[in-house]
Amino acid sequence: MRKLALIALLSAASFILLGADDRNCGQQMDSFIDDLMSKMTIEEKAGQITLVTYDRRFMTGEAQSAGVASKIAEGKIGGVFNVMTIEDKIDIQKLAVEKSRLGIPLIFGLDVVHGYRTIWPIPLALSCSWDLDLIERTACAAADEASSEGVDWTFSPMVDIVRDPRWGRVAESSGEDPYLGSRIAEAMVCGYQGESLDDPQSMMACVKHFALYGAGEGGRDYDMVDMSLNRMYQEYLPPYKAAVDAGAGSVMSSFNDVNGVPATANKWLLTDVLRAEWGFDGFTVSDYTSVGELTEHGLGTLAEVSARALKAGLDMDMVSEGVLKNLDYCLEKGLLTEADIDVACRRILEAKYKLGLFENPYLRLGGQPVDREKYRSLALEAARKSIVLLKNDHNVLPLEKDAKVALIGPLSDTRWELMGTWAGAAAMADEGVSIKSGISRYTSSLIHTAGAPITDNPGLARMIGVNIERSGDPDSLISEAVSAARESDVVIAVLGENAKMSGESSSMTWIGLQPAQRRLLEALVATGKDVVLVLLNGRPMTLEWENEHCAAIVDAWAPGLQGGNAVADVLFGEYNPSGRLTMTFPRNVGQIPIYYSMKSTGRPHIPFRKYRTGYIDCPQDPLYPFGYGLSYSQVDYSDMKAEYDPVSRSVKASVKVTNTSARAVEETVQLYIGDATASVTRPEKELKGFRKVKLAPGESLVVDFSVPVSELGFWTPELEYIVETGEFMVGIGPDSERILSSSVVYEDVQALEAIPVGLFLCTPY
Ligand code: NOJ
């Protein structure tokens, strides 16, 4: 994590640290691009800001690019994405380099979201590891694999804060919390981009979806967002900013509107905030046809909206080809000037220069060798650390080796469904490990049967690629499963979602087990055997009944290539589960949105009674809170201390953690701070630090935290970031609910005036 530690320093001191070499490099790049642009026609410049797609199998919208080859040869394309083979990329690059007039190389993009050939757990799962070093290593390995096959640029990380599990894309996120999300965003950018972008083993990151894409109304994909500026700054923008500060080379605009203007044409967002306020100097790209979709938003014709987006600060147009197709019209009508296009074109050329493409257009197309074997063990580590143990009654887990197991469920013998969303390049699905084959390593006494289809809802089945007819007669499936259960010591039911039930365009109104699966589970529970529910899922699910009736619940998410081995390692105790939730699990859909950092309101829900905030038909707390997760050990928390240290201007806190069990454990110690009195309303608590510690059996450790005073601040209604003096609650614990807390008073002479830590520089809107 050396690089991460440096980020803060580097971003603060980048102007001072810029050495003569860097300046020379910058000058060389500028004069190279000046020279090149002086030779370019305006059509060629419009071409550079045009990104097209290639392989129809990976379309994420209704439109598809046409005539790609001839446009490339005419110098009218700047980049291509979804080219899946290295041979195709070489051919296409040759067209650009050898056939187009100026031979400007293309940039190749792809959604390398959680691995390329080797698939890690989905991002939501990986975030549950709370292991920044691991996350950085997975991004770095993904860059190594993808760049070896010509990918220069990944559309990742997705850093949208998500608080609505109905939205299918929570699977691609790091969950609900801005602090954790920011740290993960930094780790991923560092992992992808490495030390230098022109290193052939690195690729450029693209932070997405800027901004607020995770806050769509009703959890519906692509839907509108309406949010106060205050909340934006406090809770939703931090991860994007963290990724920009970590040096991300590009930013993708989101589909939704931000304060009434779609992000793709939002000058305030793309220019005032991103560039003027945050100092971003890379390039921006639209999402898939989000420029063209501005017409559906009702903003005008393709020519008008394309010009508007460009002027707002959007550099590259993904798939709509709006400026390219309407260039003459835009110029004639004065919608655009050549100077407008120059700004965007220069940014794309700069990115290509930084990626080393002008020096060698085939830099990442030389078939660099990749040691995939070592990535297989990384995939296993990642999957193990992502699994969250949600329940474990009477220590039913871990299982004895050679236990007599009934392995049941439509997801128990699949490799592909374990990959989750965005795994299109997973050539290694064939090498993937199903849960059945993982478990077979531990017991030969295994009866296996599917028990039910994933769903018996015909409409849903069509959307998620399930053939209900082929699943067999539901009653016979269940009775076969029940007989298997009766013959066994324990039932492992592998249920949940297949890969297509989460991800893009997969919003759901029902996030419990599908009724067909639930019927199966009820029948299994009725046998009286201990039922261990292993969940495969891309989102938090509603599991009240399951929590009440299953002996244990293991949330495996979509665990990737080594998922089957990792699940088996957890079930049989080879690995002591350590994952912690990064998104709250509601009891039912009616509780959404529910997240740990809610404000108390003037009528706090605890204790709940009439005329208080909350519901009269359901408990107010979630089923499983943010930060929650069990292990096979018992860790006690004691001796919590916290004080404000005026010398270092930080809150110093510590807690003693003791492993009282006979099994080594990795514990994620979490620190929360709540602003007890402030001039604005504040959340009851917010995550402000965490540490993962290993504890041997019986071992005690004192875990220290130091939280700089700047972390205690907030954005005022005038959008000034200030820290106010006064009382703060400091809490430490194993999750966001079970915390030991203490009160700290922050009041020193220097701080009597509010400290402006970052000032809002531009007028909003
Ligand atoms: C649409 C998705 O919203 C975005 O995340 C992705 O990067 C693009 N399609 C390109 O595939």
Side-chain angles (χ1 to χ4, degrees):
M1 292 320 301
R2 186 176 47 83
K3 275 181 276 170
L4 275 183
L6 278 175
I7 292 167
L9 259 178
L10 284 177
S11 56
S14 55
F15 293 109
I16 309 161
L17 291 180
L18 206 65
D21 281 356
D22 300 319
R23 268 195 299 271
N24 287 343
C25 264
Q27 280 163 10
Q28 272 170 23
M29 177 174 80
D30 289 348
S31 53
F32 175 85
I33 293 175
D34 287 344
D35 182 49
L36 179 59
M37 284 182 65
S38 70
K39 297 179 193 141
M40 289 171 80
T41 63
I42 191 160
E43 285 80 15
E44 285 164 340
K45 290 173 183 171
Q48 283 307 304
I49 63 173
T50 301
L51 175 67
V52 294
T53 184
Y54 186 76
D55 190 326
R56 297 187 76 86
R57 287 172 305 162
F58 297 93
M59 281 165 63
T60 51
E62 286 170 1
Q64 169 70 14
S65 307
V68 169
S70 53
K71 284 181 191 151
I72 292 174
E74 289 165 31
K76 288 186 179 166
I77 300 292
V80 188
F81 68 110
N82 290 346
V83 188
M84 300 311 289
T85 69
I86 193 164
E87 294 76 19
D88 281 356
K89 287 192 197 91
I90 292 173
D91 288 349
I92 293 173
Q93 191 69 301
K94 269 194 185 153
L95 275 179
V97 173
E98 293 173 16
K99 296 276 189 267
S100 76
R101 196 176 69 88
L102 293 169
I104 301 175
L106 296 162
I107 183 172
F108 288 106
L110 190 72
D111 291 275
V112 181
V113 171
H114 55 114
Y116 179 63
R117 299 284 183 213
T118 308
I119 300 297
W120 326 120
I122 49 169
L124 183 62
L126 211 42
S127 72
C128 293
S129 71
W130 296 56
D131 188 332
L132 302 177
D133 175 61
L134 167 73
I135 292 170
E136 182 174 338
R137 283 185 287 128
T138 59
C140 184
D144 183 27
E145 283 191 354
S147 64
S148 78
E149 295 188 36
V151 178
D152 304 304
W153 179 32
T154 175
F155 304 137
S156 174
M158 164 169 152
V159 304
D160 307 314
I161 292 299
V162 297
R163 292 174 176 176
D164 192 331
R166 290 172 295 181
W167 192 42
R169 300 197 79 171
V170 303
E172 301 171 51
S173 80
S174 296
E176 72 187 44
D177 184 64
Y179 179 84
L180 180 61
S182 298
R183 304 292 79 79
I184 292 177
E186 292 161 356
M188 291 185 75
V189 170
C190 289
Y192 288 140
Q193 298 195 161
E195 299 288 328
S196 169
L197 278 177
D198 64 2
D199 177 341
Q201 284 169 312
S202 70
M203 58 186 177
M204 184 177 273
C206 183
V207 183
K208 68 189 191 186
H209 307 82
F210 192 58
L212 322 181
Y213 185 36
E217 280 191 353
R220 288 180 294 270
D221 211 351
Y222 321 118
D223 209 345
M224 68 163 283
V225 173
D226 196 3
M227 185 184 292
S228 73
L229 281 167
N230 205 263
R231 172 168 252 186
M232 249 185 242
Y233 270 76
Q234 196 64 39
E235 299 167 28
Y236 280 75
L237 294 184
Y240 307 105
K241 170 136 188 341
V244 165
D245 288 347
S250 65
V251 170
M252 184 185 294
S253 69
S254 55
F255 289 112
N256 55 280
D257 45 354
V258 174
N259 212 27
V261 180
T264 298
N266 194 318
K267 175 178 172 297
W268 173 76
L269 188 71
L270 297 182
T271 299
D272 300 353
V273 173
L274 185 63
R275 295 196 185 273
E277 210 178 314
W278 295 356
F280 175 66
D281 68 353
F283 74 96
T284 56
V285 60
S286 77
D287 203 339
Y288 202 106
T289 59
S290 71
V291 172
E293 288 166 30
L294 295 170
T295 63
E296 295 290 338
H297 277 282
L299 297 194
T301 62
L302 181 61
E304 287 162 351
V305 296
S306 305
R308 178 166 168 186
L310 189 78
K311 277 188 176 288
L314 184 84
D315 301 315
M316 198 171 216
D317 171 339
M318 187 191 288
V319 178
S320 302
E321 300 179 32
V323 171
L324 190 69
K325 284 180 184 159
N326 297 284
L327 187 58
D328 293 342
Y329 180 84
C330 288
L331 295 170
E332 267 166 37
K333 294 282 174 200
L335 297 174
L336 283 179
T337 62
E338 181 157 3
D340 294 325
I341 299 173
D342 281 354
V343 172
C345 172
R346 175 175 290 275
R347 290 184 186 137
I348 309 301
L349 296 175
E350 281 175 359
K352 292 182 177 180
Y353 188 97
K354 290 178 191 160
L355 281 163
L357 292 174
F358 284 111
E359 209 157 299
N360 179 6
Y362 304 97
L363 185 68
R364 294 175 184 79
L365 289 166
Q368 297 90 325
V370 172
D371 178 4
R372 284 223 189 115
E373 198 52 45
K374 71 178 184 219
Y375 294 150
R376 212 172 293 179
S377 55
L378 183 56
L380 179 63
E381 179 190 349
R384 282 169 155 193
K385 289 182 168 172
S386 302
I387 292 171
V388 186
L389 179 63
L390 296 173
K391 182 180 177 192
N392 191 20
D393 258 9
H394 57 266
N395 294 331
V396 61
L397 294 178
L399 302 173
E400 294 289 330
K401 296 208 167 92
D402 282 322
K404 209 167 172 201
V405 167
L407 177 65
I408 293 165
L411 296 165
S412 54
D413 191 21
T414 164
R415 291 177 297 191
W416 183 249
E417 304 299 353
L418 271 56
M419 304 297 145
T421 183
W422 289 125
M428 303 184 68
D430 291 343
E431 294 173 41
V433 182
S434 72
I435 292 178
K436 181 175 165 225
S437 60
I439 289 180
S440 311
R441 290 190 296 120
Y442 289 94
T443 179
S444 47
S445 197
L446 186 69
I447 318 175
H448 170 251
T449 175
I454 289 173
T455 181
D456 55 7
N457 168 342
L460 177 64
R462 261 196 311 281
M463 296 299 290
I464 62 171
V466 167
N467 185 331
I468 301 180
E469 277 79 58
R470 261 205 251 142
S471 313
D473 169 57
D475 293 337
S476 344
L477 284 174
I478 291 189
S479 45
E480 203 181 326
V482 165
S483 334
R486 290 210 175 101
E487 282 170 46
S488 309
D489 302 335
V490 65
V491 177
I492 300 177
V494 186
L495 305 175
E497 300 185 317
N498 80 355
K500 288 197 174 144
M501 288 168 88
S502 61
E504 187 170 352
S505 192
S506 298
S507 296
M508 307 245 277
T509 59
W510 171 258
I511 56 169
L513 282 181
Q514 285 296 306
Q517 296 189 47
R518 172 69 173 273
R519 277 194 295 278
L520 166 66
L521 195 59
E522 283 171 9
L524 294 173
V525 166
T527 63
K529 298 283 170 147
D530 277 334
V531 176
V532 176
L533 170 61
V534 174
L535 266 187
L536 294 185
N537 51 333
R539 53 160 59 84
M541 297 181 75
T542 50
L543 302 167
E544 269 208 303
W545 187 91
E546 293 75 3
N547 185 57
E548 208 175 309
H549 294 96
C550 296
I553 305 182
V554 174
D555 196 345
W557 309 104
L561 183 82
Q562 282 291 317
N565 282 334
V567 168
D569 290 348
V570 165
L571 292 175
F572 287 87
E574 179 67 24
Y575 182 78
N576 191 355
S578 60
R580 298 292 172 84
L581 297 179
T582 57
M583 232 186 134
T584 303
F585 274 48
R587 292 175 182 276
N588 56 45
V589 169
Q591 276 190 323
I592 300 169
I594 184 167
Y595 48 95
Y596 84 93
S597 57
M598 289 166 105
K599 294 183 176 180
S600 71
T601 81
R603 295 182 172 199
H605 65 265
I606 298 174
F608 183 71
R609 49 181 186 262
K610 201 78 175 153
Y611 307 113
R612 294 229 160 187
T613 308
Y615 304 102
I616 58 170
D617 63 344
C618 168
Q620 311 311 311
D621 58 342
L623 184 60
Y624 307 121
F626 176 84
Y628 172 79
L630 305 172
S631 69
Y632 298 144
S633 307
Q634 172 66 39
V635 177
D636 287 351
Y637 284 63
S638 61
D639 299 346
M640 190 261 164
K641 296 189 184 96
E643 61 177 9
Y644 172 64
D645 173 27
V647 179
S648 61
R649 298 179 66 72
S650 58
V651 171
K652 303 276 187 201
S654 64
V655 74
K656 187 170 161 196
V657 284
T658 306
N659 179 1
T660 57
S661 69
R663 192 182 274 268
V665 67
E666 190 162 18
E667 178 75 2
T668 303
V669 184
Q670 302 162 35
L671 176 124
Y672 296 87
I673 296 191
D675 194 346
T677 50
S679 57
V680 298
T681 57
R682 304 279 296 120
E684 281 177 41
K685 58 196 156 206
E686 292 172 301
L687 183 74
K688 291 294 176 187
F690 60 91
R691 283 187 58 195
K692 285 180 78 85
V693 290
K694 290 195 169 130
L695 294 166
E699 186 181 359
S700 284
L701 265 183
V702 174
V703 180
D704 298 307
F705 293 92
S706 176
V707 181
V709 84
S710 56
E711 282 286 345
L712 306 184
F714 58 85
W715 294 90
T716 65
E718 293 73 36
L719 291 185
E720 199 184 351
Y721 187 86
I722 63 165
V723 183
E724 285 182 346
T725 55
E727 189 191 341
F728 291 84
M729 181 286 295
V730 180
I732 306 182
D735 60 52
S736 59
E737 280 185 0
R738 290 177 296 155
I739 51 179
L740 298 176
S741 66
S742 161
S743 157
V744 160
V745 175
Y746 162 54
E747 191 160 80
D748 64 10
V749 183
Q750 292 176 59
L752 282 178
E753 314 148 25
I755 311 170
V757 177
L759 218 47
F760 186 73
L761 298 174
C762 317
T763 319
Y765 311 110

